[in-house]
């Protein structure tokens, strides 16, 4: 265990925070009471004032932060800014002591994280990619999730201080894994947003109130868990029939195919194209690992025929 690991009592390491924007400021605020103390840095002098007034030490450059702190969080805009903060002329590596842990909370390329970790390692510094999920609201409430890519040693060093602003702290794997997990999480997020716009167009074409639909979606997702409710298996491989998940996921598939087919049918009657709904219908079973087999297809009506039958008997 290096000197950067959290220790009991007053000997906890001094923390540093670089980047006090919409996300960084509320995260750093929750570190003001950290027993080892806090050093902060931001390009805007006015961003430092609330922290220095509350007892944190202000720093003019990342190098000044690294001269004081043993665990340093970085929340800046993009890969270029991260590179400058870590390795620039006034960057962290110009003054960091061996054993210092640098955590990059910005969402950057996983290849950038791996590259910078290698450069840091040559100086005896540990770098972790530690992107966050939960938005500004989660930061303000201290309820973020942080996905950490790095060594076991580095993870143990940051777990306790990160728990000051994160409700969920996970070790995703080696350096780069945190960013890859964040990208997979955000893929779901923004594909879901695109699907939401398609659902809104269907609702609008059907003469429904979109705000009311939004209330229903938020209400039921809070109960069911939304898309995350099916992310409980440790593999995406096809599910064998003797697996306890088989009947559950087949039920999800059957309901999903029925409802997607009905939504597509409604869109057809409203002369509205729903491309994501068609993609979802085509790929749902295989994606769940319970693609329709021959017996399923013989025993159950197809989604198209279900929609047709429903329309004929409506």
């Amino acid at each position: 265990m290096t000197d950067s690991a959290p220790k009991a009592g007053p000997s906890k390491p001094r923390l540093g925070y670089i980047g006090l924007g919409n996300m960084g400021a509320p995260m750093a605020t929750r570190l003001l009471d950290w027993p080892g103390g806090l050093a902060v840095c931001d390009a805007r002098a006015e961003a430092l004032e609330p922290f220095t007034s509350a007892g944190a030490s202000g720093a003019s450059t990342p190098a000044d932060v690294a001269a004081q702190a043993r665990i340093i969080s970085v929340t800046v805009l993009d890969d270029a800014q991260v590179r400058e903060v870590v390795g620039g002329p006034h960057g962290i590596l110009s003054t960091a002591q061996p054993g210092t842990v640098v955590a990059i909370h910005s969402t950057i390329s996983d290849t950038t994280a791996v590259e910078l970790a290698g450069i840091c390692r040559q100086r005896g510094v540990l770098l972790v990619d530690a992107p966050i999920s939960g938005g500004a609201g989660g930061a303000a409430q201290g309820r973020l999730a942080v996905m950490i890519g790095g060594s076991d040693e580095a993870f143990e060093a940051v777990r306790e201080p990160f728990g000051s602003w994160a409700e969920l702290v996970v070790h995703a794997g080696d350096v780069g894994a945190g960013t890859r997990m964040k990208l997979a999480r955000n893929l779901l997020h923004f594909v879901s947003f695109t699907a939401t716009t398609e659902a809104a167009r269907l609702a609008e074409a059907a003469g429904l109130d979109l705000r009311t639909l939004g209330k229903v979606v938020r209400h039921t997702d809070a109960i069911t868990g939304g898309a995350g409710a099916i992310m409980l298996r440790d593999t995406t491989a096809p599910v064998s029939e003797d697996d306890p998940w088989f009947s559950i996921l087949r039920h999800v598939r059957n309901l999903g195919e029925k409802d997607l087919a009905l939504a597509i049918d409604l869109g057809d009657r409203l002369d509205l194209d729903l491309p994501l709904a068609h993609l979802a219908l085509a790929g749902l079973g295989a994606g769940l690992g319970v693609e329709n087999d021959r017996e399923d297809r013989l025993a159950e009506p197809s989604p198209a025929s279900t929609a047709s039958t429903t329309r004929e008997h409506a």
Side-chain angles (χ1 to χ4, degrees), residues 17 60 62 74 76 100 124 173 185 189 210 234 237 241 246 253 283:
Y17 210 107
S60 58
V74 178
V76 293
T100 298
R185 193 271 172 271
H189 191 63
L210 299 186
D234 58 5
E241 292 190 18
F246 183 81
R253 179 203 68 197

Side-chain angles (χ1 to χ4, degrees), residues 74 92 300:
V74 178
I92 291 169
E300 301 172 2

Side-chain angles (χ1 to χ4, degrees), residues 191-260:
V191 168
S192 296
F193 276 12
T194 307
T196 299
T197 65
E198 185 164 294
R201 289 192 293 108
L202 177 64
E204 188 172 54
L208 304 176
D209 183 84
L210 299 186
R211 290 181 181 273
T212 302
L213 173 61
K215 290 180 181 178
V216 172
V217 171
R218 289 188 294 274
H219 176 81
T220 52
D221 276 1
I223 298 170
T224 66
I230 66 166
M231 302 185 77
L232 297 171
R233 299 176 66 227
D234 58 5
T235 176
T236 61
V239 184
S240 63
E241 292 190 18
D242 60 355
D243 189 312
W245 278 105
F246 183 81
S247 61
I248 297 170
L249 293 176
R250 183 169 63 174
H251 177 66
V252 172
R253 179 203 68 197
N254 292 345
L255 284 178
E257 288 182 341
K258 173 181 69 68
D259 290 357
L260 284 166

